[in-house]
Amino acid sequence: MTFHPASLPESLPARGTAIVTGAFSGIGAAYARRLAADGHGLVLVARRAERLRALAAELAGQHDVRVETVVADLGDAGDLDRVARRTAEDDVELLVNKAGINGYGPFAETDAALLEKVIAVNVVALTRLARGG
């Protein structure tokens, strides 16, 4: 889903697009709000569609910036590919990678599948997105 504002306010210069992963709440949402206030177009990435859409509508309405949403689980190879392709586009100026997960327990007792997911999100996704594709 994409929100298209009429125009940027005259007091803010046009800026490149910022991609924010883990954007639906907490630190990710705080970065998204600050970037929108500074006039950046945004691509918000998170797993929770409704919260993502609500934040996108809020930011587009309050700051008159273009906001795209990408519902994605960065631990899923197909979802990561979609987001990585978006990070490689020419308009992207900044990546804020807030997405991440934890193993939640002693390492030796943590399920191997969960550890693979932790590595997929915290290492593989971070590396691919920072590389820009």
Side-chain angles (χ1 to χ4, degrees), residues 2-126:
T2 302
F3 297 85
H4 297 280
S7 65
L8 287 172
E10 289 183 15
S11 61
L12 293 175
R15 300 201 182 219
T17 300
I19 296 179
V20 182
T21 69
F24 70 91
S25 68
I27 294 169
Y31 270 103
R33 285 184 176 98
R34 177 58 191 256
L35 290 163
D38 286 346
H40 286 274
L42 296 170
V43 177
L44 305 178
V45 180
R47 292 176 297 150
R48 295 185 173 109
E50 289 304 314
R51 289 174 135 185
L52 202 57
R53 286 188 204 112
L55 179 59
E58 170 195 325
L59 298 177
Q62 287 181 358
H63 301 290
D64 201 23
V65 294
R66 184 173 184 269
V67 183
E68 298 172 45
T69 60
V70 179
V71 177
D73 177 347
L74 296 179
D76 176 84
D79 285 357
L80 177 57
D81 285 343
R82 281 188 304 116
V83 178
R85 282 191 304 273
R86 184 62 181 95
T87 64
E89 292 185 23
D90 290 338
D91 66 318
V92 176
E93 178 179 83
L94 177 68
L95 168 67
V96 176
N97 190 49
K98 166 44 189 78
I101 61 173
N102 188 345
Y104 304 110
F107 180 75
E109 298 171 15
T110 303
D111 181 66
L114 177 57
L115 292 175
E116 288 178 14
K117 183 88 167 188
V118 168
I119 292 167
V121 173
N122 296 353
V123 178
V124 175
L126 169 67

